[in-house]
Amino acid sequence: MGLIAERDTEAGPGVEADVSVVVIVYNDEARLPAAVRSVLDQTLRGVEIVIVDDCSTDGSYEVARRLAAENPERVRAFQLPENSGGCGEPRNVGIGHTRGRYVMFLDSDDVLECNACRNLLEAAERDGSDIVSGLCVRLHLDRRSKKRDEWYPWLYARTQVLESVTELPDLLAWDTLSTNKMYRRAFLMENQLRFLRGMFYEDLMFIAEAYVAADRISLIPNQVYFWHVYEKAAAKSISNRRHEMTNFVHRMEIHRRIDALLAERGLTELKLAKDVKFLKHDLVLHLRDLPFRDDSYRQEFAGIARDYLTSLAPEAYDEVQPIHAVCAYLLRENDWDNLLPAVDTLTNRDKISAPLVERDGHVFWCAEHLDDAFGRHVLDVTDLGYHTRTIDRMFLRNALTGYEERGGTVRLGGRIVNPLGVIPEGARLTGQLEFSARRRSLQSFRFPVAELRHEGAFVNWEAEADLAGKLRPLGIVDEVWDVRLKLDVDGVRTTTRLTAGEPEPAQGLLPVRPRLTRLVADHVEPEVSQRGHLCFRLVTRDRVEDKDRVHELVVRGIRGRPGKLAKSGFRRAKQIRKKLTSGETRIRVYDEVFSRLPVKKGLVVFESQLGKQYSDSPKAIYEEMRRQGLEFEAVWSYAGSPEGFPADATLVRRWSLPYLKALAQAEFWVDNQSYPLKLTKRPGTTYLQTWHGSALKRMGFDEPAWKLRSQARQQEQQRVLNRFDRFLIRSEHDVRTLAKAFRLQERTLLRVGYPRNDALVHAREREAAEGRRTRGPLAAELGIPEDKQVLLYAPTFRKQGGRSQRFELPFDVERFAEQLGDRYVLLVRSHYLNHVVLPPSVRGTVIDVSARHDVNPLMELSDALITDYSSVMFDYALLDRPMLFFAYDYEEYVHEGRGTYFDLLERAPGPVVRSEDELYGALESLAEDEAKYQPERGRFVAEFGEYDKGTAARSIVEQFFSHWSRA
């Protein structure tokens, strides 16, 4: 293998180059010239090219020799005497022939960015680094869109110089490419760095050894390497031939060798990062293929994987998505009955594939393995919130159990999972099978489900579909047909896909009658989609005997004038549709069409929290207008579901054309945040900005980030703020903070308080007059016992995170239920941009009320508030009830965020606690602290709620709408 054949043309003078690029090739004569040209065209001229052909059977070596002959000073070509079976040995041979001070690697089907060598070399010499790495971009060339994927761009967001790879463990774990990097040649020689011979995934081992050996590594935020991806290529790349067991064997061996290297060097922090990446990425690639493999493959795969999985750090399981951890554990335990459904969820992220089981107030993936402490931990999927979903919000696994074709009719059977008994045993069940063309906006056909049987953890079904008689495809544009079962449970619908549990669950052709021509297709054939779902593909009945003839006719038609006209027409239609529905077009329609319509007197558009809620001051103003019997046309915008919005108003989806038309013609805009920023308010429209709370954290132009933005960006933001005709003020604190931060003029400010707070003021007055607190019907609706006090926990917005990528409560709700559940009920209302999941174990003691639009009834119901930095503190103070401030991350919030207008630690009208233990201690002394902090609460209201007198809504209606007639 060491012998090589060099090109006939003698090499040029032995002048040392700055950079040597090793280009390896095997049977790729067509693409090799482009790869070499990308090096010859580098803006850095001192670059040589060493081409190494891995004994190709096509003309690749002849092309390499020709390129060397045409560029004798810069290109040399070599050939291995026999094929090495991988990329490692050609690169090793190339390293041996390099003469540059630095070395790079390039595959024959990829190219370098034109400034790659210059940018990498400058960084190497500036920083004195052994390795310099830049951004790799994957280009999907056989897709019409030419999709681009940046290879782990977070690693290259900025320039970094690492004295050791331990400073950035994710670099070793995730960027395992050898090709987007430049290496100091002396560094390679001194450390005898070479690629493994005859093994796949040789990059992983080489780059791990290089990272560990390097004294300095530089990362630059420049694109340097374009990785060309051909998904439809007839010959799959080595990494994509996952059906070959050798592929997985080599991957596991490489990982074991890297682990041994890290263990030898004592680099445990790198091992953990690599284990996390293995669970997230390497294992997942192979797991997704398991449903398409036979039992012998699965058993061999599991035997290879199990030993390695036991070597992973247990902590790694906590750093990945729960379903990744579940699949890895079940594979380790060789539990295929539970693993294959889990892989279905892994492939189809939102699908619920297992019946689930509830034990001790937690939800587990399955009932098995719960006697194993580690298994119980991994299989706990409570945080996924399955137990909080209703049937219409579930995507359930529907496993295909039977397939039979007879006379053009297909008989199907399946089993739908029933997680946690969400489908009651006595429920009325009906269903339909729907065959729909995958290309959207085309036709679909439905067939009734004849039999549905509730069988505990599953619902079994059977149906017949007369495809020969009723399925009428068009014939060319609707090649693939998907199958769905729509299940109605007591009138509530959920939609399922048919999951094929075996590689080939169904075979055979079914005749159909296409509407266009039978020449192109007159049968459908079952197949399994990439996501494991049953679908049908249109084929011709002569696909075997006259395949070539039919194919030639179809291709001739598609490539000829009729085909070109059809394709160009279809593309134009798609482009027109996309353009007509784009945001830019909608704004033009708003400006050029709707804004020329007359303003409609009496038309008011209301919006709260960007359309997400029917709540807050816009709601209070709207209900006061209704209470006074005013005649006006009310329009409410909604984002998502219109559920919960008023039935006596016109509802329009945010950003829809009816929404834009209403805004353009409205006499009044009333909202608490901002209508779309790019919409210009007409002179005949009055904008009442109620805002959504007084400010603790800095806002607007007081934010450090805004001060750093360009003058043009600041002017654009000011234009948006200048749309406000009136801005509601509840205290002079708002004048000093919000009004100043938004650069509002004095004439804009309306010192009337917040309409949403009228109800709170009235509740306090009523309580003082009657000498008691009335809970009202909400307590009974939530199931709160009379003998328990109610705490409301309402934190501010938090960035999502944690194992399940959801907002995680900063205290243990199960501990709360255990210690304080006999006295308190805790209502949890997360920020409307956050989502929280509570375990079943705290049912009745801790209640998630986040879905309720209006927080005011919750505040009126509660006996005390727990918050952090939320503006709800300013509102709740009006009730003169106890308040606790759980500021567990105060320094981070104040100093690493955008800053605050005052020090909460000094001004809080209640205890400020910094830990969970302190929180429980404060709750134990809640009664004593209520009287202690009453003076502070009074001062707090005087400073931050001086204009909240309970008359804000009535005052606004009288000022702006009282002249309207009353019904």
Side-chain angles (χ1 to χ4, degrees):
M1 192 67 71
L3 296 176
I4 59 173
E6 192 168 349
R7 63 176 176 82
D8 294 335
T9 306
E10 290 297 325
V15 178
E16 182 178 318
D18 290 316
V19 180
S20 296
V21 179
V22 177
V23 181
I24 63 170
V25 59
Y26 175 70
N27 285 354
D28 200 17
E29 59 181 317
R31 294 181 291 198
L32 176 60
V36 172
R37 177 54 54 190
S38 75
V39 184
L40 292 172
D41 291 343
Q42 287 290 301
T43 54
L44 179 71
R45 303 309 300 167
V47 180
E48 71 158 1
I49 303 169
V50 177
I51 305 175
V52 181
D53 174 62
D54 196 8
C55 199
S56 296
T57 58
D58 69 352
S60 294
Y61 184 52
E62 285 69 29
V63 172
R65 285 162 55 90
R66 175 174 56 80
L67 291 167
E70 293 171 354
N71 305 274
E73 301 295 325
R74 302 187 64 191
V75 181
R76 290 176 291 146
F78 305 89
Q79 185 181 45
L80 272 63
E82 60 184 42
N83 182 257
S84 69
C87 300
E89 184 61 9
R91 288 176 181 154
N92 291 338
V93 170
I95 292 172
H97 286 276
T98 57
R99 299 181 299 205
R101 294 181 295 120
Y102 294 89
V103 176
M104 293 183 66
F105 303 105
L106 173 64
D107 293 343
S108 60
D109 53 349
D110 302 329
V111 296
L112 295 181
E113 195 273 338
C114 63
N115 298 297
C117 291
R118 178 180 297 279
N119 289 332
L120 291 167
L121 179 64
E122 287 179 352
E125 299 198 326
R126 179 192 67 224
D127 303 329
S129 296
D130 294 322
I131 305 173
V132 183
S133 188
L135 183 64
C136 171
V137 179
R138 286 163 50 99
L139 301 178
H140 297 257
L141 297 184
D142 54 1
R143 288 193 186 185
R144 185 176 301 163
S145 62
K146 300 295 186 291
K147 179 185 174 185
R148 293 166 52 96
D149 287 326
E150 293 184 344
W151 190 256
Y152 306 120
W154 80 84
L155 296 171
Y156 298 97
R158 59 184 177 87
T159 299
Q160 298 186 70
V161 180
L162 310 175
E163 299 301 325
S164 166
V165 72
T166 58
E167 296 177 19
L168 187 60
D170 275 354
L171 182 63
L172 178 138
W174 292 97
D175 188 358
T176 56
L177 299 178
S178 65
T179 48
N180 60 331
K181 298 170 178 62
M182 179 178 286
Y183 311 85
R184 189 167 56 84
R185 186 172 182 274
F187 163 72
L188 296 179
M189 300 304 178
E190 291 164 4
N191 291 278
Q192 300 181 5
L193 291 171
R194 296 295 186 272
F195 292 88
L196 294 173
R197 300 176 180 179
M199 289 196 69
F200 303 157
Y201 306 106
E202 68 290 329
D203 270 24
L204 276 67
M205 191 70 211
F206 173 85
I207 200 62
E209 291 178 325
Y211 281 146
V212 170
D215 290 328
R216 182 170 294 172
I217 302 169
S218 293
L219 308 181
I220 62 173
N222 304 84
Q223 297 179 4
V224 298
Y225 194 91
F226 294 114
W227 177 355
H228 291 168
V229 180
Y230 300 89
E231 296 176 358
K232 301 175 184 177
K236 296 293 186 182
S237 65
I238 291 173
S239 59
N240 285 325
R241 298 204 297 265
R242 291 189 293 273
H243 60 285
E244 300 175 0
M245 186 58 67
T246 303
N247 187 297
F248 187 60
V249 171
H250 283 202
R251 188 188 286 271
M252 291 294 93
E253 177 59 25
I254 292 291
H255 276 282
R256 289 188 182 94
R257 294 191 185 194
I258 296 174
D259 290 348
L261 169 68
L262 299 179
E264 178 185 341
R265 303 293 182 92
L267 301 173
T268 54
E269 68 275 26
L270 295 183
K271 171 69 164 57
L272 177 59
K274 185 184 147 303
D275 288 350
V276 170
K277 189 254 188 174
F278 179 83
L279 292 175
K280 278 186 176 181
H281 176 75
D282 300 75
L283 184 61
V284 168
L285 290 175
H286 293 271
L287 285 174
R288 286 174 175 164
D289 291 333
L290 289 181
F292 305 99
R293 306 286 175 253
D294 59 26
D295 187 62
S296 62
Y297 179 98
R298 293 172 184 171
Q299 293 301 327
E300 185 178 358
F301 174 85
I304 296 169
R306 277 200 300 272
D307 287 343
Y308 186 74
L309 287 171
T310 58
S311 73
L312 300 184
E315 300 90 332
Y317 285 76
D318 290 332
E319 299 298 322
V320 299
Q321 293 290 319
I323 193 61
H324 292 162
V326 166
C327 286
Y329 178 81
L330 293 174
L331 175 62
R332 200 178 82 170
E333 298 299 312
N334 204 34
D335 183 352
W336 289 94
D337 289 340
N338 288 306
L339 172 58
L340 287 177
V343 170
D344 196 7
T345 293
L346 182 70
T347 305
N348 301 277
R349 184 176 55 182
D350 295 327
K351 184 182 289 188
I352 305 176
S353 298
L356 309 178
V357 62
E358 184 178 332
R359 296 280 190 278
D360 303 322
H362 283 244
V363 175
F364 298 93
W365 184 260
C366 56
E368 293 74 23
H369 316 293
L370 300 186
D371 55 344
D372 171 21
F374 183 62
R376 188 179 184 88
H377 174 71
V378 171
L379 296 172
D380 188 338
V381 292
T382 307
D383 287 346
L384 294 178
Y386 292 144
H387 60 285
T388 67
R389 300 186 195 178
T390 52
I391 187 68
D392 56 316
R393 295 174 53 228
M394 289 184 169
F395 177 25
L396 302 177
R397 174 179 167 89
N398 186 351
L400 188 66
T401 57
Y403 181 98
E404 181 183 356
E405 183 271 325
R406 185 179 302 167
T409 296
V410 60
R411 183 177 181 83
L412 300 169
R415 190 172 73 160
I416 302 172
V417 71
N418 182 18
L420 300 174
V422 69
I423 304 174
E425 187 170 353
R428 181 171 52 87
L429 304 178
T430 58
Q432 283 186 326
L433 272 182
E434 179 183 82
F435 289 71
S436 57
R438 183 168 295 177
R439 182 168 285 171
R440 289 184 299 176
S441 78
L442 295 178
Q443 55 189 342
S444 61
F445 299 88
R446 295 176 178 84
F447 304 90
V449 175
E451 186 174 350
L452 283 160
R453 302 186 306 277
H454 193 294
E455 298 186 2
F458 300 94
V459 171
N460 290 329
W461 61 271
E462 293 179 1
E464 288 187 354
D466 180 11
L467 301 186
K470 295 185 179 180
L471 186 66
R472 298 296 309 278
L474 295 176
I476 296 177
V477 293
D478 50 0
E479 180 183 8
V480 181
W481 288 75
D482 292 314
V483 189
R484 295 174 174 84
L485 189 147
K486 296 182 179 295
L487 175 68
D488 286 352
V489 181
D490 289 332
V492 180
R493 172 165 293 185
T494 186
T495 300
T496 69
R497 300 289 300 272
L498 308 192
T499 297
E502 298 297 329
E504 295 182 357
Q507 295 180 345
L509 297 177
L510 293 93
V512 292
R513 296 180 297 154
R515 299 178 188 273
L516 296 181
T517 172
R518 296 191 180 188
L519 176 63
V520 176
D522 54 9
H523 285 69
V524 290
E525 183 178 38
E527 68 177 29
V528 180
S529 72
Q530 288 185 338
R531 292 188 174 272
H533 298 135
L534 178 68
C535 61
F536 289 82
R537 183 177 297 274
L538 281 169
V539 295
T540 175
R541 62 185 171 186
D542 300 318
R543 80 194 203 286
V544 178
E545 306 88 60
D546 297 325
K547 179 178 180 182
D548 293 338
R549 179 180 63 82
V550 174
H551 178 74
E552 181 182 350
L553 289 172
V554 173
V555 170
R556 187 185 302 169
I558 292 175
R559 292 180 178 175
R561 181 172 176 78
K564 290 180 179 178
L565 288 174
K567 286 191 290 184
S568 63
F570 178 71
R571 288 171 185 161
R572 281 198 300 271
K574 284 184 68 177
Q575 290 171 353
I576 291 171
R577 181 180 179 184
K578 183 178 180 181
K579 187 174 182 180
L580 288 176
T581 56
S582 69
E584 181 181 350
T585 299
R586 291 173 188 268
I587 293 170
R588 286 188 60 188
V589 170
Y590 175 86
D591 290 335
E592 299 175 13
V593 179
F594 294 152
S595 292
R596 295 182 180 180
L597 299 173
V599 171
K600 294 177 66 174
K601 296 297 182 183
L603 173 59
V604 186
V605 179
F606 298 88
E607 184 172 290
S608 178
Q609 309 293 18
L610 305 177
K612 292 181 172 62
Q613 297 177 354
Y614 172 60
S615 66
D616 213 76
S617 292
K619 173 188 177 183
I621 294 172
Y622 170 76
E623 293 185 346
E624 178 64 19
M625 294 171 72
R626 289 297 190 202
R627 190 189 66 78
Q628 293 193 21
L630 299 178
E631 289 189 349
F632 65 104
E633 183 179 353
V635 173
W636 268 93
S637 89
Y638 68 92
S641 169
E643 185 179 351
F645 285 82
D648 56 355
T650 300
L651 307 184
V652 293
R653 185 182 295 275
R654 201 171 195 264
W655 265 116
S656 66
L657 292 179
Y659 170 78
L660 297 177
K661 185 172 184 286
L663 285 175
Q665 290 194 275
E667 184 178 359
F668 285 91
W669 291 359
V670 181
D671 94 311
N672 66 352
Q673 194 155 342
S674 180
Y675 287 108
L677 305 182
K678 294 185 178 180
L679 300 185
T680 302
K681 183 182 70 68
R682 299 174 67 180
T685 301
T686 299
Y687 190 166
L688 300 182
Q689 175 55 255
T690 68
W691 203 240
H692 51 274
S694 297
L696 169 62
K697 52 184 175 289
R698 294 188 178 275
M699 303 290 292
F701 291 104
D702 288 344
E703 296 181 48
W706 268 108
K707 295 178 180 179
L708 298 176
R709 293 183 181 178
S710 66
Q711 191 66 29
R713 290 287 305 279
Q714 293 194 33
Q715 289 175 354
E716 176 65 17
Q717 179 68 6
Q718 191 61 58
R719 183 195 67 79
V720 171
L721 297 169
N722 288 343
R723 296 183 302 175
F724 303 160
D725 292 298
R726 291 290 187 272
F727 186 89
L728 269 57
I729 296 294
R730 60 187 304 232
S731 71
E732 289 304 306
H733 169 76
D734 292 351
V735 178
R736 296 187 298 269
T737 56
L738 292 172
K740 175 177 171 293
F742 295 155
R743 300 175 181 173
L744 302 178
Q745 298 183 21
E746 174 63 30
R747 60 179 174 78
T748 305
L749 309 183
L750 199 61
R751 292 171 168 83
V752 294
Y754 282 171
R756 72 182 187 195
N757 288 340
D758 291 349
L760 302 179
V761 174
H762 296 157
R764 185 192 65 210
E765 292 173 344
R766 186 169 54 250
E767 184 177 343
E770 297 176 359
R772 61 186 180 87
R773 187 173 303 163
T774 303
R775 283 189 167 179
L778 181 57
E781 182 183 339
L782 294 175
I784 299 174
E786 285 290 337
D787 61 340
K788 290 187 179 181
Q789 287 191 295
V790 180
L791 304 175
L792 174 63
Y793 177 54
T796 191
F797 170 73
R798 301 286 179 168
K799 290 183 179 180
Q800 296 183 352
R803 184 179 179 219
S804 57
Q805 296 301 306
R806 288 183 172 87
F807 168 62
E808 295 186 356
L809 295 173
F811 57 91
D812 185 349
V813 291
E814 290 182 301
R815 178 183 173 187
F816 174 90
E818 182 179 348
Q819 288 189 206
L820 301 172
D822 59 334
R823 284 173 285 168
Y824 294 115
V825 169
L826 179 67
L827 306 181
V828 176
R829 190 179 194 272
S830 62
H831 190 277
Y832 72 94
L833 293 176
N834 284 141
H835 175 56
V836 68
V837 173
L838 300 175
S841 58
V842 298
R843 254 189 222 111
T845 301
V846 185
I847 304 172
D848 182 10
V849 292
S850 304
R852 293 181 175 268
H853 286 200
D854 197 349
V855 69
N856 272 34
L858 301 173
M859 288 195 284
E860 291 182 48
L861 171 63
S862 64
D863 297 289
L865 172 72
I866 305 171
T867 187
D868 45 16
Y869 324 107
S870 171
S871 63
V872 72
M873 68 175 78
F874 301 107
D875 305 323
Y876 196 83
L878 296 170
L879 290 168
D880 192 24
R881 297 176 190 172
M883 300 163 66
L884 300 178
F885 297 86
F886 188 19
Y888 57 92
D889 58 350
Y890 187 73
E891 283 75 18
E892 177 185 348
Y893 186 85
V894 172
H895 301 301
E896 297 182 19
R898 59 196 193 206
T900 59
Y901 286 115
F902 62 88
D903 189 345
L904 180 65
L905 302 181
E906 296 179 357
R907 310 275 281 282
V912 178
V913 295
R914 307 296 292 275
S915 69
E916 186 172 356
D917 288 339
E918 290 181 8
L919 172 64
Y920 290 127
L923 290 173
E924 293 286 357
S925 60
L926 190 63
E928 294 83 352
D929 288 339
E930 179 176 8
K932 173 183 175 182
Y933 282 95
Q934 189 170 32
E936 281 81 355
R937 292 198 297 273
R939 287 192 290 270
F940 198 77
V941 170
E943 181 173 3
F944 298 109
E946 58 187 299
Y947 301 128
D948 279 322
K949 303 300 182 183
T951 58
R954 187 172 73 246
S955 174
I956 289 171
V957 172
E958 289 174 353
Q959 289 187 56
F960 296 97
F961 309 112
S962 60
H963 60 285
W964 290 353
S965 59
R966 286 169 166 77

